Amino acid sequence: MESNVSSPALEFKGKPDQMDYPETSYEEGSDVTRPLDPALIQRITRKFDTHVIPWLFGIWLLAFIDRSNIGNARIDGLADDLKLDGNKFNIALTVFYIPYVLVDVPSNWVVKYFGANYYLPGLLIAWGIVGMCTGFVTDYNGLLACRFFLGLCEGGLLGGMILYLSMFYRRHELLFRIGMFYCAAPLSGAFGGLLATGLAQIYHGGYNRWPWIFIVEGVITVAYGLVVIFYLPPTPSGARFLSESDREAAVYRMGLDAHGASQASKVESERFSWHWVRMATLNVNTVLLSLNFFAIITPIYSFSLFLPSIISSLGYNSVKAQLFTVPPNMAGFFAVILCTFLSDRIKARGPIMIGCCSLAIIGYIMLLVKTRPLVHYGGTFLVAAGVFPSSPAAMGWLANNLAPHYVRGTGTGWQIAIGNCSAFAATFTYLQKDAPEYRTGHAINVGFLVFSLSLSTINILYAKRENRKRDRGERDHRLTEGDEGMLGYRHPSFRYNI
């Protein structure tokens, strides 16, 4: 963990009037180094917070609603109308993740090429159209086709958003910003449940109840995507809401935060190379945190998809089951904001993950024991508050420990691709034959959370060991072994986050 990332004074080479820092004199033609005003950095960061994060929050909110609304539709007539007997519903969930997993890595390679300000809203519009089409399906095969294309359009979104944010925020500013959009995931469960409850009351034109969940939510998604495409900035140097001097400062502060891992003056200057792909793939952090993400995503997906069914199994009708999904998801919403903020303040990811996983395990134990329904319902609060913050923590941890851009993009792509393979397990975690207690599903999720605890501990120990070696100068020999600009995260000045 690096102690100088949030130092009170950063350095910038340039004229004082360019950086709103008039205290230091400047001689024409000289190469004077002077500090960046902390107030200037704070102002730039605040502008990014107001011009970037709200749009990403909306994108991720709609992504999770459109992905998991099939769980709401299931208890509002989808299963009966399409005759989803046996494991057909679970298979329909699984089909979504086949293209979703396959496109994660190559999608991250092209985000910068197409421009994230066009690419991310483009994905949003595409899956909104597919979501609308889901409302018009009349048989099981049509549902499978829509789920496949929905996964194809949503694949690459999360990795692209993480990569996009890493262009704007320094490493110990990043996780809170990831949390600020990722908290939309549990909120989508709360908001989506309320929205589905209202839309399922519509009977019109031969389409009754569940089709309107897909149709209306799909229209909202497309409309939002058309708006976002005009306002999302491409990179810090292309942010039109910043003055020229602020853009220069924004780019320069990111260069300082790289600590030798990137020699490019700005992210647009970095070029793709298979060398970066190999570095990302063989990094210990990539392996451990990809497996860790796999372990975390399993309970998140199963929780999001099956929470209405779990609550329904406690004896509530479909309307009450939808409404009772709101409070646990709100607990997850606030937990994401709190934990990601705390993680950036202490400049550590692993301890937060360990604490959150432990909390979720307690929640699943409450669901496993034979007791009153109220205790089971209370367990869903602890599960939501534990699993939802763990996901952004894992992604932010890896993004912090990989550099430069294409290494981070490849590693993040692998992490999300491998992590989302857990969906093949998650969609078969809660089977109808195990209702109403779903003890097998709860036990499986406990096992994955214990696995995550182990991986987080190993990664902390590895990062500390490697940082100590760099502190002692045991990695300085790399500076003389080749091109320093190709070292990336292997640069002796770069420190891993714990």
Side-chain angles (χ1 to χ4, degrees), residues 340-377:
T340 54
F341 174 78
L342 179 62
S343 181
D344 271 355
R345 289 297 297 267
I346 66 174
K347 301 178 181 178
R349 315 307 187 204
I352 296 295
M353 288 195 65
I354 289 174
C356 288
C357 286
S358 300
L359 182 66
I361 289 172
I362 295 172
Y364 276 116
I365 291 174
M366 292 172 63
L367 287 166
L368 280 166
V369 297
K370 291 186 176 181
T371 183
R372 295 176 300 169
L374 186 61
V375 175
H376 289 164
Y377 185 57

Side-chain angles (χ1 to χ4, degrees), residues 190-259:
F191 181 70
L194 291 172
L195 187 58
T197 301
L199 295 176
Q201 307 307 310
I202 301 176
Y203 292 77
H204 181 73
Y207 296 96
N208 303 323
R209 303 183 68 196
W210 66 266
W212 292 104
I213 296 176
F214 294 110
I215 295 170
V216 174
E217 291 177 357
V219 170
I220 294 172
T221 299
V222 172
Y224 186 79
L226 292 172
V227 173
V228 173
I229 205 166
F230 291 104
Y231 291 99
L232 208 59
T235 59
S237 62
R240 290 176 295 180
F241 51 83
L242 294 180
S243 65
E244 183 179 353
S245 61
D246 282 358
R247 288 196 292 268
E248 292 175 3
V251 171
Y252 189 74
R253 91 197 209 289
M254 296 303 296
L256 291 176
D257 190 54
H259 292 277

